[in-house]
Amino acid sequence: MIDVLTKDIQIKDSNNNSNKKKQRERRKIQMTDIQTISDTSSNPSTLDINNNSNNNNIDDLPLSCSTTAIIKNQKENINNCSIGISSSNSGSNKRNSHHNHNNNNNNNNKLNSYSSSSSLNNNIKINNNNNNYNNQNNNNMDITISTGNNINNNQEDIVMMDIDSWYSGDPLVSEVIKDEKETLILIEKRKTELLSIEKTITSLKETKESIKKDIMIKKQVLKTVQKKKEEYIKTIGNSYTSIAIKYNLTQVESRSLTLILPEEVMLHIFKFLSPSDLCKGVCGVCVKWRSLSFDISLWRDICLQRRLLDGSQYHEPIQNKTPSKFNIEAPPKSNVWGENWYVGEYRKDSNWRKGKYSTTILRGHKEIVWSLLFESDSNTLISGSEDMTVKVWDCNGMGTTSHFLDDSEDSKKRCSKTLTGHKNGTICLGSTPNRLVSGSADGSLKIWDRQEGVCIETIQTHSSVWCLQIVDNSLICGCVDGTLRVFDLNTSNCLRTMRGHTAPVRCLQAINHNGQDLIVSGSYDKTIKVWDMDSRCVNTIRAHTHKINCLQYENGQLVSGSHDSLLKIWDMNGGLIHTLQGHDNMIHCLQFKGNKLLSGSTDSTIRLWDLKNGTHVNTIKGQSAVCCLKFNDSKLITGYEDSTIKIFDFSF
């Protein structure tokens, strides 16, 4: 199709082939623009290209519709293309009339064939006006776009189009239109914000006025209160003056009730105050009140209310009569509690609840520490481990010099004895004043001389021993075969065997309940059994849904811990009192005294519980599974899976 047009369209600027290719592309763009114009009208449009010889310049052409801007914008492209349309002019040049007439006919036929071959649906008519053609202006072209057959006859049918719609395809114009819309949206948004701020300012002004009015009212109320205060002060002053005259006291002395009321009455009043109020408030009023706030009888009643005591009289701490190289006296401290022992007990209980303690780590065992015994009278600790040894430690002076101590040399000095002889792990321990008993997974019980540290007797049970207790001259042990056996410590003879459990017996305790001697045992068969001394099972409690690891009886209550991570509190008839839930893994050990219950778990935590209401009080977190524990009023001792022993001192 391009080859057909080149015969009738002369291109002045003949450059290389690349320039010609660009010119062809520009022509295609022009035809596309004409296609767009035709599509925007309701009826098919007709493109008339009139070659008027009277119009020498394209700028002088009359522009129709809203396409004037498009034609001007494309002017430079049209000039570059330099399209010359040659047609015959019979009035001006007769020499070329015949030749031009033939050319016109050929051009019409070729253009018609070109337009029919394109995808355009519009009819493009090229009218070569021979009467108005000028050969001297071949570079200029007159273009008239009309919606009818003749623009002069159909001026009223012209449809004026929106400029933005014509330019919407141009990238630059599209970007500008987009920016314009965004700017308008932003302006509207800012106007909305401005209105909101104006409303807020108005509201704040109203609030300000309201606050001013309220301040004025409060000032008036303040004046009234101040007047009443002055009146009351005068009345109280007159009362103190009358008291001073009546009891022959000075004005200062008359203001203290302790000089008027008896001490017994004041102490009774102080009993209704909390310990913190007594220590922080009352004791700072005057010397007399300070003396009464630390009265021994007052604090004894407070400790009894917290069940920190068993109801005994004033407690004198037991002095250690055994000499030790670790009896190091702590540096003198200012004792704000005076000589009141009960205040010290209350302070230790507060430290337990708040988690305030010093820590000492003992290192010496090579494997898991399974069992502990702590003798408070002599500050002696005995430990049994999976490394088949039993160690005796001196704990005097521990926890008095620093908040944390982890010294291997100190541990070596404190280990006074190491007992060896078992062929498997030492699982359980028991003691008397002169003897020490250890039970092992090798199926033996060894009796040791405490002074010499030598084994004086070995008892074979033919089954691993997992728990034991010494009662008078009898030794009771629980075995992996599910039996409980009672031995005579003096003769080492087996007195009786209790059978009933169907799995290993992991824990036991000899108790006295309502004047009757009993034995309580917990087993991996998930049950707790109560035995009398004639080897009869008098009660079975199906306690847990998993293996039972530990139990303890005290004051009519029985507490058990299991692999199901639960602690359960029972009465001796098998009634469930509380279920304590908090551990994330199986419970290995427990001990309770009064209202204080401690439990150790594989989740590496030790939890403190209040048995009175069954609530969790505090948690001590560690780095390894807790396998055993023992505690008294001031110390907590724990054995861990990582072979260490930790001592927490709450009297620090």
Side-chain angles (χ1 to χ4, degrees):
M1 290 184 294
I2 300 298
D3 294 336
V4 174
L5 291 175
T6 52
K7 294 180 180 180
D8 301 318
I9 299 174
Q10 297 178 358
I11 301 182
K12 290 185 177 184
D13 190 6
S14 57
N15 294 326
N16 51 23
N17 292 332
S18 62
N19 290 336
K20 290 181 180 180
K21 191 177 293 184
K22 292 180 181 179
Q23 291 171 2
R24 293 191 188 100
E25 292 177 355
R26 291 192 185 99
R27 292 193 192 100
K28 290 182 181 180
I29 292 172
Q30 292 172 2
M31 297 301 294
T32 304
D33 291 337
I34 295 173
Q35 169 71 20
T36 305
I37 295 170
S38 300
D39 292 342
T40 56
S41 63
S42 60
N43 297 319
S45 301
T46 302
L47 177 65
D48 293 337
I49 302 177
N50 301 320
N51 299 315
N52 298 321
S53 58
N54 295 331
N55 298 328
N56 297 328
N57 196 333
I58 196 170
D59 293 332
D60 298 331
L61 291 174
L63 300 178
S64 300
C65 302
S66 60
T67 59
T68 306
I70 296 177
I71 295 172
K72 287 184 177 181
N73 192 36
Q74 301 288 340
K75 172 183 160 183
E76 184 178 353
N77 293 333
I78 295 172
N79 288 334
N80 289 335
C81 291
S82 301
I83 301 174
I85 301 176
S86 301
S87 60
S88 65
N89 190 344
S90 60
S92 63
N93 196 346
K94 294 181 179 180
R95 289 178 304 173
N96 298 325
S97 62
H98 179 73
H99 177 72
N100 289 338
H101 178 72
N102 293 332
N103 287 342
N104 289 338
N105 293 331
N106 292 333
N107 288 342
N108 289 331
N109 294 330
K110 293 173 183 178
L111 285 175
N112 288 333
S113 64
Y114 168 74
S115 60
S116 62
S117 63
S118 66
S119 61
L120 298 174
N121 296 323
N122 302 319
N123 296 324
I124 303 175
K125 297 180 181 180
I126 304 176
N127 300 322
N128 299 315
N129 225 341
N130 296 329
N131 296 327
N132 297 324
Y133 180 75
N134 190 348
N135 290 328
Q136 295 178 355
N137 296 319
N138 291 329
N139 294 332
N140 297 330
M141 179 177 63
D142 297 340
I143 300 175
T144 302
I145 300 175
S146 62
T147 60
N149 296 328
N150 193 339
I151 190 170
N152 296 324
N153 298 327
N154 297 287
Q155 291 292 336
E156 295 179 355
D157 296 335
I158 295 175
V159 179
M160 302 301 292
M161 305 301 293
D162 186 7
I163 296 298
D164 290 348
S165 66
W166 293 100
Y167 279 106
S168 60
D170 189 288
L172 295 177
V173 176
S174 298
E175 188 68 24
V176 172
I177 293 173
K178 182 180 178 182
D179 292 343
E180 179 186 11
K181 291 180 180 179
E182 291 179 353
T183 304
L184 291 173
I185 293 171
L186 181 61
I187 289 172
E188 292 299 324
K189 183 178 179 182
R190 300 303 289 178
K191 285 182 179 179
T192 305
E193 292 178 356
L194 179 60
L195 290 175
S196 177
I197 291 171
E198 288 177 351
K199 291 180 181 179
T200 304
I201 292 172
T202 303
S203 176
L204 289 175
K205 286 181 179 179
E206 294 175 356
T207 305
K208 177 182 177 183
E209 295 299 327
S210 176
I211 292 173
K212 284 183 177 180
K213 292 179 182 179
D214 189 55
I215 290 173
M216 295 298 295
I217 295 172
K218 297 299 182 184
K219 285 183 177 179
Q220 294 176 0
V221 174
L222 178 62
K223 290 180 180 179
T224 304
V225 172
Q226 287 176 344
K227 289 180 180 179
K228 289 183 179 181
K229 175 185 172 183
E230 293 175 357
E231 293 175 359
Y232 291 157
I233 289 175
K234 289 180 181 179
T235 303
I236 294 171
N238 294 333
S239 300
Y240 281 130
T241 302
S242 62
I243 292 173
I245 294 172
K246 182 177 180 179
Y247 293 99
N248 194 21
L249 300 173
T250 63
Q251 290 291 333
V252 176
E253 292 174 343
S254 65
R255 295 175 184 272
S256 177
L257 292 176
T258 57
L259 299 177
I260 301 171
L261 299 177
E263 291 186 359
E264 291 80 5
V265 177
M266 291 303 302
L267 288 174
H268 182 73
I269 294 173
F270 288 168
K271 287 180 182 179
F272 294 94
L273 300 177
S274 65
S276 60
D277 291 337
L278 290 173
C279 297
K280 297 178 181 179
V282 174
C283 66
V285 174
C286 62
V287 176
K288 184 68 176 178
W289 280 35
R290 179 181 177 83
S291 176
L292 290 175
S293 64
F294 289 109
D295 183 80
I296 290 177
S297 62
L298 174 65
W299 280 92
R300 183 176 181 277
D301 290 340
I302 291 174
C303 291
L304 287 173
Q305 289 175 4
R306 284 210 173 190
R307 296 180 66 179
L308 302 179
L309 307 173
D310 55 3
S312 61
Q313 297 299 318
Y314 178 76
H315 174 80
E316 289 289 347
I318 300 175
Q319 300 295 330
N320 182 21
K321 298 180 182 180
T322 305
S324 172
K325 58 184 176 181
F326 294 102
N327 283 336
I328 304 172
E329 294 185 359
K333 301 177 182 178
S334 57
N335 188 3
V336 298
W337 314 102
E339 299 298 327
N340 193 333
W341 177 83
Y342 296 101
V343 176
E345 289 300 299
Y346 175 81
R347 180 180 64 176
K348 286 187 289 187
D349 182 69
S350 297
N351 289 341
W352 274 98
R353 295 176 180 275
K354 295 177 182 178
K356 295 182 179 180
Y357 50 80
S358 64
T359 306
T360 302
I361 298 178
L362 297 178
R363 299 183 183 273
H365 286 294
K366 297 179 181 179
E367 294 188 40
I368 302 171
V369 179
W370 283 119
S371 55
L372 292 170
L373 281 179
F374 182 66
E375 299 172 346
S376 301
D377 295 347
S378 60
N379 268 333
T380 300
L381 173 66
I382 304 167
S383 61
S385 170
E386 186 69 23
D387 63 8
M388 302 178 287
T389 64
V390 177
K391 290 183 179 291
V392 182
W393 310 82
D394 188 351
C395 297
N396 284 290
M398 190 174 290
T400 59
T401 57
S402 64
H403 283 283
F404 182 82
L405 180 64
D406 184 6
D407 188 354
S408 299
E409 293 299 324
D410 181 73
S411 298
K412 290 179 181 179
K413 293 178 181 179
R414 291 188 178 278
C415 183
S416 58
K417 293 183 180 68
T418 299
L419 311 180
T420 59
H422 283 296
K423 298 179 181 178
N424 208 329
T426 305
I427 309 299
C428 49
L429 296 170
S431 67
T432 66
N434 299 319
R435 287 179 287 188
L436 180 66
V437 181
S438 60
S440 172
D442 62 7
S444 68
L445 292 162
K446 287 187 177 294
I447 303 173
W448 310 82
D449 182 274
R450 297 196 63 163
Q451 298 297 327
E452 301 296 330
V454 296
C455 179
I456 58 179
E457 187 71 37
T458 298
I459 302 173
Q460 293 293 337
T461 63
H462 306 290
S463 181
S464 296
V465 180
W466 279 10
C467 53
L468 66 86
Q469 186 172 359
I470 298 174
V471 182
D472 297 329
N473 289 323
S474 297
L475 171 61
I476 309 168
C477 66
C479 301
V480 172
D481 61 4
T483 62
L484 284 82
R485 303 187 184 191
V486 183
F487 294 91
D488 189 322
L489 274 178
N490 296 323
T491 62
S492 301
N493 294 328
C494 181
L495 302 178
R496 52 189 173 275
T497 300
M498 305 176 187
R499 303 180 186 275
H501 285 295
T502 59
V505 178
R506 185 67 181 87
C507 49
L508 65 85
Q509 184 181 359
I511 65 173
N512 185 283
H513 177 65
N514 295 332
Q516 184 181 7
D517 292 331
L518 300 170
I519 298 174
V520 183
S521 60
S523 169
Y524 275 13
D525 63 8
K526 311 173 190 177
T527 65
I528 298 172
K529 290 185 179 292
V530 183
W531 312 79
D532 62 14
M533 301 311 291
D534 294 329
S535 304
R536 291 178 300 183
C537 179
V538 297
N539 192 11
T540 298
I541 304 172
R542 301 191 180 281
H544 292 269
T545 59
H546 217 299
K547 302 173 183 177
I548 297 174
N549 264 337
C550 48
L551 60 78
Q552 184 186 340
Y553 167 88
E554 186 175 302
N555 296 329
Q557 289 183 331
L558 179 65
V559 182
S560 60
S562 168
H563 280 225
D564 59 13
S565 74
L566 298 178
L567 290 164
K568 293 189 177 183
I569 305 171
W570 312 85
D571 59 29
M572 289 306 293
N573 295 322
L576 181 62
I577 301 173
H578 288 300
T579 297
L580 308 181
Q581 186 173 3
H583 285 292
D584 298 327
N585 210 326
M586 62 181 180
I587 298 171
H588 267 305
C589 49
L590 66 86
Q591 183 184 349
F592 73 94
K593 178 182 178 183
N595 282 336
K596 191 184 300 178
L597 166 65
L598 282 124
S599 58
S601 169
T602 307
D603 63 8
S604 305
T605 64
I606 302 165
R607 291 181 178 266
L608 172 64
W609 310 84
D610 188 340
L611 278 183
K612 186 176 181 180
N613 50 27
T615 58
H616 172 254
V617 178
N618 196 16
T619 300
I620 300 174
K621 297 181 179 180
Q623 303 296 325
S624 181
V626 183
C627 298
C628 52
L629 65 83
K630 295 292 179 182
F631 78 92
N632 59 13
D633 291 337
S634 59
K635 286 183 175 62
L636 166 65
I637 305 172
T638 55
Y640 290 89
E641 189 178 24
D642 62 2
S643 76
T644 61
I645 299 172
K646 289 185 180 180
I647 301 175
F648 304 93
D649 192 339
F650 294 88
S651 63
F652 183 78

